[in-house]
Amino acid sequence: MASKRVGVYPGTFDPVTLGHMDIIRRSLRLVDCLVIGVATNPGKGPVFNLEERMAMVHQELGPLADDVGTELLVEPFSGLLVDFAARMGSQLVIRGLRAVADFEYEFQMVGMNAHLDPNIETVFLMASEKYSFIASRLVKEIASLGGDISSFVTPTVAKSLYGRVGQK
Ligand code: ADP
């Protein structure tokens, strides 16, 4: 049998949205083991700390992996993505691509990462039409203004977010 194909899906997941979950659900069919890398990312000033973000990803995705039989791991990471991927035994990075706005940044990242480690390949999954406008940043903004975020995140995540930003 061929060796196990491990994919890494990195992000800040502050918090995990239905858009992220769609990418994860689809990625599970492409690999034998999917590692969701939750970035420490203090630079982005996350609303939820690393442990909280990891717990939310865990809680939303555990049942999904059981459905398809793919191994699913949620791991923290800081530092270089190429180092994290290598540590996880992966040469495959998965990213979601929403609009042109994502493209330029992602294009640069692929170029830089290819220089840092030529063995790493990045695969992009186009956002599904119905989730393509969802961004964690905007979900947080809407929640803080007391808006309805039920189309963007699960009820559990919505509850945590309203609890944190003080609305609803
Ligand atoms: P980062 O801090 O790396 O941008 P995010 O948590 O914002 O982390 O996103 C992680 C990955 O998920 C990125 O590849 C991003 O483009 C993708 N992503 C975020 N929201 C969506 C969405 N609604 N549909 C598809 N992909 C998405």
Side-chain angles (χ1 to χ4, degrees):
M1 194 180 130
S3 63
K4 191 164 81 166
R5 186 179 289 276
V6 182
V8 167
Y9 177 45
T12 310
F13 305 105
D14 184 43
V16 62
T17 68
L18 299 184
H20 294 130
M21 286 164 67
D22 182 57
I23 296 293
I24 293 168
R25 196 178 295 118
R26 290 159 58 198
S27 303
L28 287 173
R29 283 186 264 137
L30 305 178
V31 295
D32 305 306
C33 172
L34 181 67
V35 183
I36 302 179
V38 182
T40 321
N41 233 341
K44 277 199 165 183
V47 165
F48 295 103
N49 69 31
L50 179 67
E51 288 70 29
E52 291 167 328
R53 285 180 281 129
M54 288 181 65
M56 279 190 269
V57 171
H58 249 302
Q59 155 208 305
E60 301 302 333
L61 296 163
L64 263 188
D66 294 342
D67 284 352
V68 287
T70 303
E71 197 180 341
L72 181 61
L73 302 174
V74 182
E75 295 285 338
F77 95 93
S78 53
L80 288 176
L81 175 60
V82 291
D83 292 342
F84 175 68
R87 211 161 56 242
M88 293 297 124
S90 173
Q91 299 187 333
L92 175 69
V93 173
I94 296 169
R95 296 284 287 174
L97 206 53
R98 282 162 295 188
V100 263
D102 279 343
F103 181 81
E104 188 156 355
Y105 173 74
E106 296 291 345
F107 185 77
Q108 285 184 322
M109 285 288 287
V110 168
M112 304 285 265
N113 285 334
H115 273 279
L116 294 172
D117 185 346
N119 295 315
I120 301 274
E121 200 61 72
T122 306
V123 167
F124 291 96
L125 298 184
M126 293 294 278
S128 300
E129 203 186 354
K130 62 180 176 177
Y131 302 124
S132 61
F133 53 87
I134 302 177
S136 295
R137 184 178 59 80
L138 294 174
V139 175
K140 285 181 280 193
E141 205 170 309
I142 293 168
S144 72
L145 297 169
D148 180 6
I149 55 170
S150 59
S151 312
F152 314 138
V153 294
T154 65
T156 328
V157 172
K159 197 160 169 254
S160 307
L161 189 52
Y162 286 129
R164 186 55 54 92
V165 297
Q167 291 282 344
K168 284 265 150 123

